[in-house]
Amino acid sequence: MKKLLVTLAASLLLFSLVLQTQVQAAAPTTTIYINGVKLVTDQAPITVGSRILLPLRAIFEVLDSTVDWNARAKTVTATKDDTTIVLKLGSKTATINNEAVTLDVAAQSINGRTMIPVRFVSEAMGAEVDWNAGSKSVFIKTSGEVNPVPNVYAQVVGHKGNGSDLVVSFIKSPNESTIDHYRILIVKAANVPSFHLAAAQAVTSKNYTTALTQSGDQTISLSAQARDVNGEMIRADQSYAAFVLAVGKANGQNALSQPSSKVTITVNAVAPAVTNVKTSDINDYGDGRDLQFSFTKASDESKISAYRVFVVKTANAGTFNLAKANATASSNYTLVNKTGSSITQTLASGTRDVDGAAIVSGMSYQVFVLSAASNNNSGNNTLSEGSAPIVLSTNTGNAAASNVVAFDVSDYNDARDLRVNFNKASDESRISQYRIFVVKAAYADSFTLTTANALPSSFYTVANKTGNNISQALASSAKDTSGDKIKNGVSYRVFVLSVGANRLSVPSPNVVLTNNSSLLAATDVKASDSSDYNDARDMLVTFNKAYDETNIAHYRVLIVKAANAGSFTLGKANEVASSNYTAINKTGGNLSLNLAAGSRDVDGTKISDGVSYRVFILSVGGGSYNGNNALSAPSGEVVLTDSISAATNVSAKITDSGRIDINFDKPHNQTGISYYAVMIVPAGVPFDVKSANNAAYFIQVNGGTGTTTNDNDKDITGAPLTRGSSYKVYVLSVAASGNTSSNALSDPSGTVTL
């Protein structure tokens, strides 16, 4: 037995020596290169016999193969394109696409790594393998061809005048497994015919955008700092095409696409004006339904989101401008969607003019139409010329009741809680009585004179004329126009019919009855942009006092961002900190105030230009009614803006004498403009209103709409204008106040070369 053990030990020692001779570590002497790049692995290459083995994942993954290890069966399965290889640990038999092949050396486990023969795997996957005995190096070269991407698309998606306006899309290369990454190259249109693969490969990294492979088609948005292949910032009024360079994993194996179609960035996002605004008197309701308007659509509606129709008293039409139109509350204009054709439409019964007054017969009006810019920048809106004046028929128009308001005055939980106030018709000679109709707010827009005349007497309340304005509380049994008893929690609007003259009033604002009637809310809250301080002093707030101020201590003016106004409730109003509202004492009359410079909205943010707000008024209870507050309905939206407008249609051309002839159109509204500063800017230099305010040199234009340079004129840096140099021209509207933040810069002219 002892002799047997000695013999067995000797045999094991001999086997170990043989294995050490057969398996030699190759890490110190053998190096693997893939497409010229040294391959580094966590397990060094080893030599078994005359074959070099590598960890399976290192070689398969660098050859872009997917690999799966089955621990139970001890098999490795690798797939690339249409080739599948299966190796079994310890077996010299493998399969390539289910066909058996014999290996010189089997796959084996060494130091916890599954090692596989490099040459067999590489060649099976279509690569070329060379052995350099002198350097003891293996060179593997993948044979996959780098194909160019087949389609490149470039699209302008903005008007900022830089690379962020461009999006480039492309279909992935047909053989993306051979590609390391893509390079997006922006080329000036004039250079496209001479742009080729060698030029593309020479472009430095700061002048292209890199896109990594992702096994799918790609859409890449460029950055504002993107440059063209010449290193120049991408800019407006320059035509470009996009190329995509597919960069192969093997050195030098690149492929250039065909160019995209040519695109040009513009910074002119101004919505063009409508034309041919006309009005006509088509009915005799004594309200907005009598007025029909029409206009010819704008020449290019792609820059327009919608139209806004403004009804302006003729007495005020001469001073109605773009700034006032932009500041008009949404409740005081009519929104009209673009249809692709010219528009004819009749106003609704409750339509109000820009002052918030109901449209009535006997008043002279003019209609303006605002083209609202699609980029939501009010500075790019455009106002039409006004229509000819129109006076709606006075046949019976002065026989309608007006200023209808409904209040919650008690806590009976029935119609006795509802009091209706209205102004009598100016001419009651043909009126026998008035009828008060309480309409669920959801049905108010469809409530017409015909509907009112058809209702039975149990569905309305009669109010006898008195020769004075009328205030009437309803009876407990009063019903709404649906035949339902009036009750808490329902939103209503109230109409008044002048019987005899058969005229229906404009509806009241919404009213909802609650058990909190001891305090009444303010009504008819309005907000407008009244100045140009660039702070809260620009906001003018007006409102009608509560019908009964007996239990009111004071009011609070609450400024709410329009985006949050829909969720602003009485509970939230009560929680607003005192630093974030404006308190105003009651006076016994309706109230009007401009906010203080440091006023903040309810979130504690300073009120500023460019933000859309709505205004609420909180009636604050006093004495025994302390904490029993009431919140008004909100105002329409208001956005504070500067009234200074930019010049338009700036043009520049070279005269026969070699000077620059400059012309421009003054803005429709010149209020607050002191003069125009004409600025000559070297082409390619980024330029904005901040740059304009800091310009070292400009040409001042006071009364005219143009100028011509002379031999002494300079560009914005103070440098003389030189022959052969290219320039663009801008016009700065300079505010009379001296406040540079109010200045407005035009779009540039085209490029001119002296």
Side-chain angles (χ1 to χ4, degrees):
M1 182 65 178
K2 183 177 180 181
K3 183 179 180 180
L4 177 61
L5 290 174
V6 171
T7 302
L8 180 58
S11 299
L12 289 172
L13 178 61
L14 178 62
F15 178 79
S16 176
L17 292 172
V18 171
L19 184 61
Q20 288 181 29
T21 301
Q22 186 179 12
V23 180
Q24 301 170 357
T29 57
T30 304
T31 307
I32 311 294
Y33 293 91
I34 305 289
N35 293 324
V37 179
K38 183 178 179 180
L39 179 64
V40 178
T41 63
D42 59 353
Q43 166 63 51
I46 65 166
T47 301
V48 177
S50 61
R51 298 301 181 193
I52 297 172
L53 279 67
L54 274 177
L56 70 91
R57 291 195 181 275
I59 186 63
F60 278 134
E61 289 178 357
V62 82
L63 293 173
D64 279 328
S65 306
T66 59
V67 61
D68 178 64
W69 163 249
N70 187 321
R72 185 171 183 179
K74 297 186 181 302
T75 58
V76 180
T77 302
T79 303
K80 178 182 179 182
D81 298 329
D82 57 356
T83 301
T84 299
I85 301 172
V86 179
L87 300 97
K88 185 175 178 63
L89 199 65
S91 173
K92 288 189 176 183
T93 300
T95 63
I96 302 177
N97 291 339
N98 295 322
E99 292 187 10
V101 293
T102 300
L103 308 177
D104 293 331
V105 60
Q108 50 198 273
S109 179
I110 298 175
N111 294 332
R113 292 286 188 272
T114 300
M115 309 291 283
I116 57 176
V118 172
R119 178 178 293 276
F120 166 76
V121 170
S122 300
E123 292 180 344
M125 290 300 183
E128 298 175 5
V129 181
D130 290 321
W131 164 253
N132 187 310
S135 63
K136 296 187 180 297
S137 300
V138 177
F139 295 91
I140 302 173
K141 183 178 180 181
T142 58
S143 59
E145 182 182 0
V146 176
N147 295 315
V149 303
N151 294 94
V152 181
Y153 306 91
Q155 182 182 6
V156 176
V157 297
H159 298 283
K160 296 178 181 176
N162 57 45
S164 66
D165 295 332
L166 282 183
V167 169
V168 177
S169 303
F170 58 91
I171 297 173
K172 71 170 185 172
S173 172
N175 188 12
E176 197 172 53
S177 64
T178 65
I179 293 173
D180 181 74
H181 65 275
Y182 300 102
R183 297 175 186 172
I184 299 168
L185 307 161
I186 305 301
V187 180
K188 293 183 182 72
N191 300 333
V192 167
S194 60
F195 192 72
H196 45 68
L197 178 60
Q201 293 177 143
V203 176
T204 60
S205 59
K206 67 180 181 180
N207 298 336
Y208 61 73
T209 299
T210 300
L212 301 178
T213 58
Q214 60 179 31
S215 301
D217 301 337
Q218 299 205 42
T219 298
I220 306 297
S221 297
L222 302 190
S223 74
Q225 289 73 43
R227 299 172 182 268
D228 66 21
V229 295
N230 300 121
E232 296 177 6
M233 297 288 288
I234 294 172
R235 55 186 173 84
D237 299 326
Q238 170 66 59
S239 183
Y240 298 101
F243 290 78
V244 175
L245 180 70
V247 179
K249 294 176 180 176
N251 289 339
Q253 292 190 14
N254 302 333
L256 186 64
S257 72
Q258 292 296 309
S260 70
S261 56
K262 295 171 185 172
V263 293
T264 303
I265 299 169
T266 64
V267 293
N268 180 14
V270 176
V274 307
T275 56
N276 200 29
V277 182
K278 295 181 179 179
T279 58
S280 55
D281 184 359
I282 61 168
N283 289 311
D284 199 23
Y285 291 104
D287 58 34
R289 292 172 292 176
D290 296 351
L291 184 57
Q292 185 179 81
F293 63 86
S294 64
F295 58 86
T296 302
K297 73 179 183 70
S299 56
D300 179 7
E301 289 192 311
S302 64
K303 300 174 183 176
I304 294 173
S305 61
Y307 299 106
R308 300 174 191 170
V309 178
F310 302 91
V311 181
V312 183
K313 296 181 181 75
T314 299
N316 302 330
T319 59
F320 189 72
N321 53 37
L322 178 60
K324 290 183 178 179
N326 284 332
T328 300
S330 58
S331 57
N332 297 338
Y333 63 74
T334 297
L335 187 67
V336 178
N337 293 323
K338 58 185 182 181
T339 64
S341 58
S342 298
I343 290 171
T344 299
Q345 187 169 314
T346 303
L347 298 179
S349 62
T351 303
R352 297 176 180 269
D353 67 20
V354 295
D355 300 321
I359 294 171
V360 295
S361 299
M363 178 66 72
S364 181
Y365 298 105
Q366 286 179 249
V367 172
F368 294 77
V369 179
L370 179 82
S371 300
S374 54
N375 62 3
N376 294 321
N377 183 347
S378 61
N380 290 329
N381 295 348
T382 304
L383 189 66
S384 74
E385 296 293 329
S387 69
I390 185 173
V391 179
L392 300 181
S393 172
T394 58
N395 291 339
T396 57
N398 55 358
S402 61
N403 198 26
V404 181
V405 183
F407 302 98
D408 182 2
V409 295
S410 299
D411 282 321
Y412 293 104
N413 297 313
D414 60 33
R416 288 174 292 177
D417 296 349
L418 188 60
R419 176 172 290 275
V420 177
N421 289 5
F422 61 89
N423 293 347
K424 71 180 184 69
S426 56
D427 179 7
E428 289 190 309
S429 61
R430 298 170 53 216
I431 296 174
S432 59
Q433 61 179 211
Y434 298 99
R435 294 176 184 169
I436 298 171
F437 297 90
V438 181
V439 183
K440 292 184 178 74
Y443 306 142
D445 288 343
S446 60
F447 189 76
T448 64
L449 178 63
T450 301
T451 306
N453 283 325
L455 290 175
S457 58
S458 58
F459 288 10
Y460 59 78
T461 296
V462 172
N464 293 320
K465 64 180 184 178
T466 63
N468 298 309
N469 296 334
I470 292 174
S471 176
Q472 182 159 333
L474 302 189
S476 61
S477 59
K479 297 180 179 179
D480 66 21
T481 55
S482 301
D484 299 323
K485 281 195 171 185
I486 295 166
K487 59 184 179 180
N488 288 358
V490 179
S491 182
Y492 298 106
R493 303 187 80 177
V494 177
F495 294 77
V496 176
L497 177 70
S498 301
V499 180
N502 203 32
R503 307 298 298 176
L504 189 65
S505 75
V506 172
S508 73
N510 287 13
V511 61
V512 179
L513 303 181
T514 68
N515 283 326
N516 181 26
S517 63
S518 57
L519 221 63
L520 298 180
T523 60
D524 201 23
V525 183
K526 295 186 176 72
S528 61
D529 184 359
S530 64
S531 299
D532 281 313
Y533 293 103
N534 298 307
D535 58 35
R537 289 174 291 176
D538 296 349
M539 186 179 292
L540 174 66
V541 177
T542 64
F543 60 92
N544 291 346
K545 70 179 184 70
Y547 170 71
D548 181 358
E549 292 186 309
T550 304
N551 299 319
I552 294 176
H554 64 273
Y555 299 99
R556 294 176 187 170
V557 179
L558 305 162
I559 312 299
V560 182
K561 294 181 183 73
N564 303 330
S567 59
F568 191 72
T569 63
L570 175 60
K572 291 182 179 179
N574 287 332
E575 294 173 356
V576 175
S578 60
S579 57
N580 299 337
Y581 63 73
T582 299
I584 180 170
N585 292 325
K586 61 184 181 179
T587 63
N590 297 332
L591 294 164
S592 174
L593 77 157
N594 276 95
L595 302 183
S599 297
R600 299 174 181 269
D601 65 21
V602 296
D603 300 322
T605 306
K606 278 193 173 182
I607 294 165
S608 60
D609 287 359
V611 179
S612 183
Y613 299 105
R614 303 188 84 168
V615 179
F616 293 77
I617 305 297
L618 184 71
S619 300
V620 180
S624 61
Y625 294 92
N626 184 31
N628 193 15
N629 301 341
L631 188 65
S632 74
S635 71
E637 290 187 28
V638 60
V639 180
L640 304 180
T641 61
D642 291 333
S643 62
I644 298 300
S645 301
T648 56
N649 298 323
V650 180
S651 65
K653 63 181 180 180
I654 306 301
T655 66
D656 293 339
S657 60
R659 298 177 178 179
I660 306 177
D661 185 49
I662 300 162
N663 288 282
F664 59 90
D665 292 341
K666 293 181 178 179
H668 178 73
N669 170 36
Q670 297 188 72
T671 303
I673 297 176
S674 175
Y675 61 88
Y676 300 96
V678 174
M679 301 186 176
I680 302 172
V681 182
V685 173
F687 197 68
D688 55 20
V689 69
K690 183 177 180 180
S691 306
N693 287 330
N694 295 325
Y697 185 88
F698 59 85
I699 304 168
Q700 183 169 324
V701 176
N702 294 318
T705 58
T707 187
T708 301
T709 60
N710 59 47
D711 293 338
N712 297 321
D713 283 329
K714 303 176 178 63
D715 67 20
I716 54 167
T717 66
L721 304 181
T722 56
R723 303 288 180 182
S725 297
S726 296
Y727 300 95
K728 288 189 176 184
V729 177
Y730 293 77
V731 177
L732 183 72
S733 300
V734 180
S737 65
N739 182 359
T740 58
S741 65
S742 296
N743 295 347
L745 187 65
S746 73
D747 292 328
S749 71
T751 302
V752 292
T753 303
L754 287 176

